[in-house]
Amino acid sequence: MKIADLLQTATTRLANAGIDEPQANAQFLLAHVLGVARTWVLVNGAFEVSEKEEKLFLSLLTRKGNGAPLAHITGIQPFCGLDILVTPDVLIPRPETENLVEIISEKFEKKGHYTFVDMCTGSGCIAVALAVKFPNARVLAVDVSSAALQVAAQNIRKHKLTERVDLLQSNLWENVMGTFDLIISNPPYIPSANLDNLSREVKEEPRLALDGGADGYEVTRPLCRAADGYLNPGGWLALELDDGQPWPLARGLAEIDWKAEVKKDIFNVERFVLAQKR
Ligand code: GLN
């Protein structure tokens, strides 16, 4: 079948299955099967897809129609211009988190010999992106989940960062030693009661990576409470949080003498807290 016809059939099937952005998803999936970029698929509508490729595409389309996230099917999610390997053991990197990396990066010199720690690293996306952006930095990537750390390890190897990115299994600060110029984290922050309202696709992601406990701050709170002792003078704390969470946290930090800013994400949601100990 021709690419254009196949995409039309696929888009209709995904739309009928109630999948968001059916056309884009169909294009990404076909590009994945053909081993090409999505743009190639868009400009080569007359190209004939082999029977084998068509069969594979249709089977992946069925998985997508049944609610599997695209990144679970392709095994990859782009993040800060890098391909990050993803499995169901880790949160799929989000554009908001790319935003956090961009915003905090402006606070540091490109060539600086910094030490950064990424708490709740999951796939390792933040740690890897920072290590790529800051070629002289060392990054410690921490997670409580050994399954997540295995994925992070693959990403560190894939991006040839084993010399500068270390992995540590730890429940927050429990096993962490040393001090850092930046503590960055996209912790689980969704209040437990809201987890049932998440979309079908987000429910395919690990609950551990999403569940912020009763009020959504049950991971963030101990993370911040001990942060002071792990920061070098002038060091930064940078967090991604849920809509509505940054101001109460920023005010709490200000009360204990931190200088805290709240920043918006690309969707105009106040989502980030950047803070420095005075
Ligand atoms: N941003 C994610 C979501 O919308 C949540 C990530 C998190 O809890 N850190 O599902």
Side-chain angles (χ1 to χ4, degrees), residues 34-52:
L34 300 179
V36 298
R38 179 190 180 196
T39 42
W40 190 91
V41 164
L42 294 181
V43 296
N44 287 285
F47 182 87
E48 284 283 343
V49 174
S50 76
E51 225 168 277
K52 197 166 144 226

Side-chain angles (χ1 to χ4, degrees), residues 3 32 41 48 91 151 154 166 189 250 253 265-266:
I3 282 185
H32 171 69
V41 164
E48 284 283 343
L91 189 80
V151 179
Q154 286 185 46
D166 297 311
Y189 53 59
L253 286 168
D265 68 16
I266 30 163

Side-chain angles (χ1 to χ4, degrees), residues 91 94 96 186-190 198 202 209-211 240 271:
L91 189 80
R94 309 279 204 269
E96 294 91 320
N186 172 21
Y189 53 59
I190 298 178
L198 297 175
V202 178
L210 298 163
D211 189 351
E240 175 181 327
R271 190 176 282 288

Side-chain angles (χ1 to χ4, degrees), residues 161-176:
L161 295 167
T162 49
E163 301 282 305
R164 291 189 297 116
V165 183
D166 297 311
L167 286 171
L168 178 70
Q169 185 169 19
S170 176
N171 185 3
L172 295 175
W173 297 109
E174 206 168 86
N175 304 323
V176 178

